[in-house]
Every structure is written in C-alpha cells, then in structure tokens.
Amino acid sequence: MTQPPTYPPGAPLNYASPRTCPGCGGGPLEEPSFTIWGGVIGHKILGVERCTSCKKWWVKKTGAPGGTRILVYLIAGIILGVLLAVSFIGVRS
C-alpha cells in the first residue's frame, strides 16, 4: 500500500488538474449531485468533496477531513427540527 501524499498546512490544492485524494492518494475528488445528509446543497454549503476511491469527505480548500463539518451540520439540523416541532406543537395547544 502506498503512503498518501502530504500537503503542507495552508498549501492550496491544485485545481487545474483532477484533484487527488489527500487521504488515499487515489481519486478523483468529486462533488456529488445529491447527498442523504445534505440534499442538493449541503456539500456546497460546507465546501466538501468526496473521494471516489476511499469514499471519504474532504474540505476543498484545505484538504482536511470533512467528517466533523458534516457531523456538526447534521446535529444542528436535528436540533433546529426538534425546536421547530416543539414550537409548532406549543402553538397548536
């Protein structure tokens, strides 16, 4: 197994050619048209892409893992949904 390439902190990724995965060194990185956790715009709001080889999410600008951003996005959405449901039930009572 080959060692994944390392990027210096703050180094811009090369957008001119197909981007390789910062984790597995494979790729290419792609923006999906739809995700279960973010629908059509979730990945665009968060600025993440998915590697077609290892299926992991990466931040476009930095090459850092994107899992934390996705988790925060999901938790915030769940909390917002619960608060809206509780307020709706409170108004109807």
Side-chain angles (χ1 to χ4, degrees):
M1 185 168 192
T2 62
Q3 189 70 357
T6 58
Y7 298 103
L13 299 177
N14 184 5
Y15 290 115
S17 63
R19 295 175 304 281
T20 59
C21 177
C24 70
L29 295 177
E30 295 184 332
E31 277 195 31
S33 57
F34 181 85
T35 63
I36 300 231
W37 53 266
V40 177
I41 63 168
H43 64 280
K44 293 178 183 178
I45 292 171
L46 299 178
V48 294
E49 293 180 304
R50 189 170 189 191
C51 175
T52 56
S53 297
C54 67
K55 308 295 184 204
K56 291 185 180 179
W57 290 91
W58 302 96
V59 178
K60 287 183 195 180
K61 291 185 179 181
T62 63
T68 304
R69 287 184 180 199
I70 295 169
L71 183 63
V72 169
Y73 183 81
L74 284 172
I75 291 172
I78 290 169
I79 290 172
L80 182 62
V82 168
L83 290 175
L84 287 173
V86 167
S87 68
F88 182 72
I89 291 170
V91 169
R92 296 208 51 173
S93 299

